[in-house]
Amino acid sequence: MKCRRFGGKGEEDMGALSKLSQWRTLAREAAERTAILAKFLCILHVTNTYICTPTLVYGPSMLPTFNLTGDVLLVENLTVRMGKVRPGDVVLVRSPENPRKTVSKRILGMEGDRVTFMIDPKNSNRCQSVVIPKGHVWIQGDNIYASHDSRNFGPVPYGLIQGKVFFRVWPLNGFGSLRQ
Amino acid sequence: MGVSNVKQWSRIVKEALDRAFFTAKFLCLLHVSNTYLCTVALAHGPSMLPTLNLSGDLILADRLSVRFGKVGPGDIVLVRSPQNPRKIITKRVVGMGGDRVTFSVDPKDSRRCETVVVPEGHVWIAGDNIYASTDSRNFGAVPYGLLQGKVFWRATSFHITLGLY
């Protein structure tokens, strides 16, 4: 009398079924985690667009305002989108020479303004004057001896401005809103 | 009686909050896909005749091509106008950075042509209807950073056409 059946096809079926259900729970867990990640990224994107976003700037062109080795700044773009950027503001601009690069410079003139600048301050005292065309701004680094800006590539269209810098987070001894 | 009123109110408030959150999440998703994937635009005006209509065409533009640098001559793109940053215009890319572009300066009045080398990091855009288009012939090459999207689909008024441009 055979009461038990061990081995054989029955156990293989049970193994395959349990593996399938294991995969299904794994897939469901992966989908849940992906959904949470997607929701988090969505919220991050909305915050970056409508509130503010942090950014790291480095380089010598904005000395002494920003350090050579790197500053963490908070950037908002509501001001840019409302068109309320004014001369004296420090902004992030997408470089017109290399669209993958974003630079931080100060706005010295808006459309219609006449801007006078030193062409090559290291070598001569020669100045030049330019009227900024419609829809453009003139950007210049605070460190005119080591800055590649509108003196080199001309006024940039307003549409390239990505955001206005309003607060410094790091280094801590410069923590606080930026003063003119 | 008062306690059951409060309970009902709290239930209604909770349901309202749930629906509000759901709507907020849906709008977030819509906003993100509009910014990073694909955007809808209504293009009107005479500058892209006969490709696009005068009175308005619904077009879809994808944002990934611009972000990954896959835009080339012949593509129709959405560009933020360098003369008015609040306006987005639809034009065709004629040349990329480094290309040499020849164009007729004022086709209505004369046949004079000019040749220009497009600077690096810039694109030369032109409307298909050169007699009625304000484009790079007027304001010069535009920086690549002003490109907003590449048009890949157009819906005409009475039938949907899958147009690969």
Side-chain angles (χ1 to χ4, degrees):
Chain A
M1 222 165 42
K2 287 193 181 138
C3 308
R4 252 191 317 167
R5 193 158 63 115
F6 43 87
K9 198 165 175 297
E11 258 188 29
E12 276 175 22
D13 283 345
M14 286 306 292
L17 259 174
S18 76
K19 264 205 191 90
L20 196 63
S21 64
Q22 267 182 5
W23 271 114
R24 203 177 302 160
T25 44
L26 262 176
R28 196 177 314 146
E29 202 173 312
E32 271 175 20
R33 302 237 169 129
T34 314
I36 292 182
L37 185 68
K39 276 186 273 193
F40 174 68
L41 289 178
C42 275
I43 293 181
L44 202 66
H45 164 78
V46 170
T47 314
N48 281 351
T49 311
Y50 292 112
I51 306 180
C52 75
T53 179
T55 180
L56 175 73
V57 298
Y58 59 93
S61 66
M62 283 295 288
L63 287 167
T65 316
F66 299 147
N67 292 328
L68 177 67
T69 43
D71 280 5
V72 177
L73 308 168
L74 291 185
V75 174
E76 53 93 9
N77 51 17
L78 282 181
T79 317
V80 176
R81 266 177 308 140
M82 290 196 299
K84 297 240 184 305
V85 183
R86 290 290 163 261
D89 291 344
V90 179
V91 291
L92 289 187
V93 177
R94 194 176 288 268
S95 163
E97 297 176 326
N98 180 359
R100 295 182 194 275
K101 206 167 64 159
T102 309
V103 298
S104 72
K105 299 276 182 262
R106 197 179 290 269
I107 292 192
L108 287 196
M110 308 291 292
E111 64 186 12
D113 293 348
R114 177 173 282 274
V115 165
T116 309
F117 59 98
M118 300 183 74
I119 305 175
D120 193 7
K122 277 196 273 198
N123 295 338
S124 77
N125 266 349
R126 198 160 52 105
C127 284
Q128 197 173 329
S129 197
V130 142
V131 174
I132 302 173
K134 187 166 163 331
H136 288 64
V137 296
W138 188 269
I139 58 171
Q140 210 164 299
D142 285 351
N143 181 8
I144 55 173
Y145 299 98
S147 168
H148 192 67
D149 47 33
S150 282
R151 297 171 297 157
N152 307 90
F153 45 69
V156 300
Y158 187 97
L160 286 181
I161 302 181
Q162 306 288 301
K164 174 181 152 187
V165 176
F166 68 98
F167 202 85
R168 185 197 337 237
V169 171
W170 187 269
L172 289 175
N173 61 357
F175 189 92
S177 68
L178 291 164
R179 304 202 171 280
Q180 310 297 22
Chain B
M1 277 310 280
V3 173
S4 75
N5 262 353
V6 166
K7 249 192 228 164
Q8 268 182 357
W9 267 115
S10 72
R11 206 162 36 88
I12 292 178
V13 165
K14 196 178 305 180
E15 198 171 319
L17 276 178
D18 275 344
R19 299 225 174 147
F21 272 133
F22 182 74
T23 315
K25 276 187 278 190
F26 178 68
L27 289 178
C28 270
L29 192 67
L30 217 60
H31 185 272
V32 167
S33 71
N34 190 34
T35 312
Y36 292 113
L37 290 178
C38 161
T39 181
V40 185
L42 186 68
H44 62 275
S47 65
M48 283 295 288
L49 287 167
T51 315
L52 299 178
N53 287 330
L54 175 68
S55 48
D57 264 343
L58 200 71
I59 52 180
L60 289 184
D62 84 293
R63 301 210 187 255
L64 294 174
S65 310
V66 173
R67 199 174 278 267
F68 291 121
K70 297 255 183 292
V71 178
D75 293 338
I76 304 182
V77 289
L78 296 181
V79 182
R80 195 172 286 277
S81 163
Q83 291 175 326
N84 180 1
R86 294 183 195 276
K87 204 166 70 157
I88 299 201
I89 57 181
T90 316
K91 298 278 182 260
R92 198 181 288 268
V93 174
V94 174
M96 306 293 291
D99 292 349
R100 183 175 282 273
V101 167
T102 307
F103 58 97
S104 63
V105 174
D106 194 5
K108 275 195 275 200
D109 294 330
S110 78
R111 270 190 286 168
R112 192 167 55 99
C113 282
E114 258 184 43
T115 306
V116 138
V117 175
V118 181
E120 282 302 326
H122 287 63
V123 296
W124 190 271
I125 56 174
D128 285 352
N129 181 8
I130 55 173
Y131 299 99
S133 166
T134 323
D135 46 39
S136 283
R137 297 172 298 158
N138 306 87
F139 44 68
V142 298
Y144 187 95
L146 287 179
L147 294 183
Q148 303 290 308
K150 177 171 127 179
V151 177
F152 66 94
W153 195 79
R154 188 246 321 223
T156 49
S157 41
F158 292 109
H159 54 277
I160 310 286
T161 313
L162 186 72
L164 295 168
Y165 293 106

